[in-house]
Amino acid sequence: MVSKILCVAEKPAIAKSVAHHLAGGSQNVRVRSINGNPYVKNYEFDFSFGQPWGQCSVTMTSVIGHLNGLDFEQRYRKWHSCRPGELFDAPVTESVDPDKASIAENIKQQARYAKALFIWTDCDREGEHIGAEVRQQAFKGNSRLEVKRARFSNTERAHVFQAALNPIHLDDRQVNAVAARIELDLRLGASFTRLQTLSLQTMGGPLEELMISYGSCQFPTLGFVVDRYLRVKNFIPEPFWSIKVMHRRDETNVTFLWRRVHLYDRMAVIILFERCLIAKTAKVSQMQKRPTSKWRPLPLTTVELQKLGSSFLRMDSQKVMKIAEELYTKGWISYPRTETDQFDKGIDLKKLIEKQVQDRNWGPYARDLMDGNFKQPRGGRNNDQAHPPIHPVNYVAGSVLRDDERRVYEFVVRRFLACCSEDAKGELTSIEIEYGSETFHTSGLIVLERNYLDVYPYDKWESSQQLPRFTLGEVFEPTEANIVDGKTGPPGYLTEPELISLMDANGIGTDATMAEHIVKIKERRYVETRPRGGRGGSAVQEFIPTNLGIALIEGYDNMRFETSLGKPFLRKEMELKMKEICAGTKSRNDFVHETLEQYREVFVKTQQQIDVLKAACTKYVFGIAA
């Protein structure tokens, strides 16, 4: 008797794509709808999985993200049902979300006569947890199921076959890490949200009907925005003075920059400048002409895609990731959620390049790489051991994509081709002169070989004006020397690429969730965005906190906790401990207990000092000075 295998993917589109590949084409697949959900289908076909299963009858279906939700028991769910602090210990229950009940029932029914369950969820921590939810429902239909998971990073046909024939075990350590994070997010979010909301609503006015939510990633993200905003607003310009030297030779004006850059003491600059004038002549003390390079970019990670998408494609990080997910689901690019910035030596990069030769824009460049200009990409320091860097896996003509899809796909392709190219090469000439007691310098760059820059227009490296001829030891009288003044300027407000960099460096969220946290503080009206410099929609967006956003962060900062909720330290520690669970060095229960105790201490102190938070709201939300 032919064995039956049940395969479950994380998304309907992945289920459809994998089924068509394994079946040898859509003509070999029988499609059946399920009761209660118009998007999930059951795809039936035959496939040989090799030993020990052999030729099998396969049903491929899917979920739509998480099946389950976690919530408090019914008696704790109403806002006034208990004191907010009781939610740290209140009983919680996990159950299938009502709108996913039909999907869970389908898995249970299909598992009844199956010999094995193959999980095809995304290969990351969240996907592992969704896989465990699928396993839980399948066991309700058949507790004797053998459970395997397919490890894959794209839906290219050969890669799907490789994943199907080489299944691995579900990683319960990752499952436990996500389960712990879900419980902590529920308990901490609900307790602090109720405390803030119920306390601040009593102030009336604009706060009377407002829900003031808290999240352990949300608040540090807001903290970064507020910190930069206050630095800009509180900035006091400081005057400075500098010496500028210019010499005209061969009809070229050469500007020499002061080695000290500038000083804040005007009289000191005048004295040094007078010494230059007394000397009258300057002497060439150093000359250097050397080859220089602009390195080709590293392979593409999720964080870099979000940052550069915001900078160059003028899309916010959430939109970039949504489009990247769609391109992945359609089989055009690899899995877009990865921390890895190094290609495994086993990946045939030339085969991937060859698929791009047919494009009319970057095809000739790809052909040049195939004809001998290919270079093994640089390797970064990060490898999540789950997915390769983001790269194209198949060619698609831009004409069949939406405009925003085309731009993201083009960026991924050009980045990949640039990684496989030579560094740009140039020649840098540096000249240093002694003038009086001071040193000045200038430099000139000539770009000799653009190389990767020809396919990657997002990097700029241009030749400067060529320097006229100088000789070491020569003495000349500068054409012009002046004192110039200026004043220090404030930093700019945070842009999305800068915010993502800060979140990444401080362990706030994962590469997969950073965009969600940014969206959340916008939805809660803690921040607003506007085009930098007022240049309209094409400019990079900068973040400005609202009065409520400033009040929340300043209020918690003014409580003088050792670790303010507006700072990243507590959440960063959570992320590190989740990695310890994944590594097997910490248990889920220990992690949850330790973290709850840390936050419980902050919660109790917040209750005691809630008037400090109210004072900040009085100052910023109501505009009443203390």
Side-chain angles (χ1 to χ4, degrees):
M1 180 177 175
V2 175
S3 297
K4 178 181 176 182
I5 301 288
L6 172 61
C7 296
V8 183
E10 190 171 322
K11 308 174 185 72
I14 297 293
K16 180 180 180 180
S17 178
V18 170
H20 287 179
H21 285 322
L22 296 183
S26 59
Q27 70 277 7
N28 299 321
V29 179
R30 299 174 297 282
V31 184
R32 302 188 189 280
S33 298
I34 74 165
N35 292 327
N37 192 291
Y39 306 108
V40 174
K41 310 290 183 187
N42 291 342
Y43 300 92
E44 299 172 354
F45 56 93
D46 296 326
F47 181 75
S48 178
F49 283 91
Q51 294 301 322
W53 296 283
Q55 188 72 14
C56 298
S57 170
V58 182
T59 297
M60 181 94 203
T61 189
S62 75
V63 292
I64 304 176
H66 282 279
L67 279 173
N68 297 349
L70 190 72
D71 205 346
F72 298 105
E73 289 186 354
Q74 192 65 44
R75 61 196 173 102
Y76 292 95
R77 293 181 188 177
K78 292 186 178 179
W79 279 69
H80 294 278
S81 60
C82 65
R83 293 190 301 274
E86 292 180 40
L87 299 178
F88 276 83
D89 304 300
V92 293
T93 59
E94 184 180 27
S95 59
V96 175
D97 287 336
D99 60 342
K100 304 287 180 70
S102 60
I103 301 174
E105 181 63 24
N106 180 54
I107 292 170
K108 187 164 61 176
Q109 294 299 329
Q110 295 302 321
R112 284 187 173 176
Y113 307 105
K115 186 173 181 64
L117 168 67
F118 272 46
I119 290 167
W120 288 77
T121 52
D122 293 341
C123 293
D124 55 17
R125 281 200 314 225
E126 215 68 28
E128 220 69 13
H129 191 272
I130 294 170
E133 295 173 359
V134 170
R135 178 179 62 186
Q136 181 185 46
Q137 295 305 316
F139 277 167
K140 290 180 181 178
N142 182 354
S143 60
R144 300 181 305 277
L145 273 175
E146 184 172 1
V147 180
K148 294 289 186 181
R149 84 105 72 231
R151 183 172 181 172
F152 66 107
S153 59
N154 65 69
T155 56
E156 192 265 334
R157 183 176 180 274
H159 189 71
V160 166
F161 267 77
Q162 184 76 6
L165 297 174
N166 297 278
I168 60 174
H169 294 293
L170 200 64
D171 187 345
D172 280 302
R173 291 173 177 175
Q174 293 192 55
V175 174
N176 285 332
V178 174
R181 191 265 303 157
I182 290 172
E183 180 180 349
L184 288 169
D185 283 351
L186 172 66
R187 293 187 183 281
L188 301 177
S191 57
F192 278 98
T193 296
R194 288 191 193 180
L195 174 63
Q196 290 177 168
T197 302
L198 296 176
S199 299
L200 297 180
Q201 281 182 346
T202 61
M203 300 180 72
L207 301 180
E208 189 171 7
E209 302 292 329
L210 202 61
M211 184 182 78
I212 305 167
S213 76
Y214 168 83
S216 59
C217 283
Q218 184 180 318
F219 261 52
T221 303
L222 172 61
F224 292 133
V225 176
V226 173
D227 179 67
R228 178 66 68 86
Y229 174 81
L230 293 177
R231 282 171 58 196
V232 174
K233 286 299 179 186
N234 297 330
F235 184 83
I236 300 174
E238 191 172 358
F240 61 77
W241 292 265
S242 183
I243 301 172
K244 182 179 176 184
V245 175
M246 187 276 287
H247 186 62
R248 184 169 180 78
R249 177 171 291 184
D250 299 338
E251 299 184 355
T252 300
N253 291 338
V254 181
T255 299
F256 290 88
L257 304 176
W258 196 16
R259 184 63 73 188
R260 297 180 192 265
V261 185
H262 55 244
L263 297 178
Y264 297 98
D265 186 330
R266 180 172 176 269
M267 187 54 64
V269 175
I270 290 173
I271 292 169
L272 296 173
F273 178 63
E274 287 177 345
R275 290 178 184 173
C276 295
L277 297 182
I278 291 169
K280 288 191 178 180
T281 58
K283 180 180 180 180
V284 178
S285 56
Q286 281 189 34
M287 278 194 64
Q288 187 181 43
K289 185 175 288 189
R290 60 181 176 85
T292 187
S293 299
K294 184 169 179 62
W295 288 357
R296 62 199 186 278
L298 285 168
L300 186 60
T301 64
T302 304
V303 170
E304 282 298 299
L305 175 61
Q306 292 177 93
K307 286 161 54 178
L308 298 177
S310 180
S311 296
F312 299 127
L313 305 182
R314 297 297 188 251
M315 300 179 190
D316 64 49
S317 54
Q318 186 186 44
K319 183 175 182 180
V320 170
M321 290 310 300
K322 182 175 183 293
I323 294 167
E325 287 274 6
E326 292 170 357
L327 293 171
Y328 156 70
T329 301
K330 293 174 182 177
W332 305 129
I333 68 172
S334 62
Y335 188 58
R337 300 188 185 276
T338 175
E339 298 174 13
T340 302
D341 56 7
Q342 50 188 253
F343 280 107
D344 187 89
K345 295 294 188 289
I347 298 179
D348 189 346
L349 300 178
K350 289 186 178 179
K351 185 177 179 181
L352 296 172
I353 293 171
E354 188 175 18
K355 294 180 179 182
Q356 301 297 328
V357 168
Q358 57 194 297
D359 189 83
R360 62 177 183 170
N361 293 317
W362 55 79
Y365 189 91
R367 168 56 62 194
D368 286 343
L369 294 182
M370 294 297 296
D371 289 344
N373 290 327
F374 170 82
K375 281 286 183 183
Q376 187 66 28
R378 295 164 56 209
R381 298 179 180 179
N382 304 301
N383 191 330
D384 59 18
Q385 302 297 323
H387 298 286
I390 304 166
H391 63 275
V393 294
N394 280 306
Y395 175 74
V396 57
S399 57
V400 303
L401 299 173
R402 300 192 316 266
D403 179 64
D404 51 5
E405 287 181 324
R406 177 191 58 75
R407 290 161 59 210
V408 173
Y409 177 74
E410 178 176 346
F411 177 79
V412 170
V413 174
R414 289 183 179 275
R415 174 72 171 228
F416 172 67
L417 296 177
C419 289
C420 299
S421 304
E422 280 271 15
D423 297 337
K425 299 184 184 300
E427 184 178 77
L428 183 66
T429 302
S430 301
I431 301 173
E432 197 170 90
I433 64 171
E434 301 293 339
Y435 187 28
S437 59
E438 298 306 297
T439 303
F440 299 82
H441 63 97
T442 191
S443 62
L445 171 69
I446 300 174
V447 177
L448 302 174
E449 299 174 30
R450 288 180 51 80
N451 295 330
Y452 88 88
L453 293 169
D454 285 332
V455 78
Y456 196 69
Y458 315 101
D459 272 1
K460 303 297 181 189
W461 201 48
E462 304 291 344
S463 295
S464 61
Q465 186 173 328
Q466 191 166 350
L467 294 177
R469 182 176 176 80
F470 287 87
T471 57
L472 185 63
E474 80 163 277
V475 176
F476 63 92
E477 186 173 343
T479 307
E480 193 176 291
N482 294 298
I483 292 179
V484 292
D485 60 1
K487 59 183 178 180
T488 55
Y493 296 115
L494 267 188
T495 62
E496 188 162 35
E498 292 171 330
L499 180 55
I500 292 170
S501 292
L502 285 170
M503 294 172 72
D504 184 41
N506 287 278
I508 301 303
T510 65
D511 54 1
T513 61
M514 287 178 192
E516 297 169 17
H517 302 315
I518 293 172
V519 168
K520 187 66 70 178
I521 62 172
K522 290 193 220 175
E523 289 176 346
R524 297 301 184 203
R525 298 182 183 176
Y526 296 160
V527 302
E528 297 170 344
T529 59
R530 69 184 187 192
R532 170 161 280 186
R535 293 192 298 271
S538 64
V540 66
Q541 298 289 302
E542 58 186 15
F543 288 81
I544 308 295
T546 62
N547 289 334
L548 176 59
I550 299 171
L552 291 172
I553 296 302
E554 188 166 298
Y556 279 111
D557 285 351
N558 288 345
M559 292 181 190
R560 302 285 186 248
F561 296 152
E562 187 176 332
T563 48
S564 169
L565 293 181
K567 304 301 182 194
F569 311 117
L570 284 172
R571 182 65 198 205
K572 184 174 186 177
E573 193 171 337
M574 279 180 63
E575 292 289 344
L576 292 174
K577 288 179 179 178
M578 277 193 279
K579 290 181 179 178
E580 289 180 35
I581 296 177
C582 294
T585 58
K586 185 176 285 292
S587 73
R588 169 184 170 180
N589 288 340
D590 285 348
F591 167 51
V592 171
H593 175 73
E594 290 170 10
T595 304
L596 284 177
E597 290 310 305
Q598 281 183 307
Y599 276 91
R600 194 193 306 269
E601 182 181 351
V602 174
F603 183 88
V604 170
K605 290 179 179 177
T606 301
Q607 282 182 309
Q608 294 169 347
Q609 299 188 58
I610 199 68
D611 285 344
V612 177
L613 190 59
K614 288 183 176 180
C617 289
T618 299
K619 176 181 176 182
Y620 289 102
V621 178
F622 293 90
I624 302 172

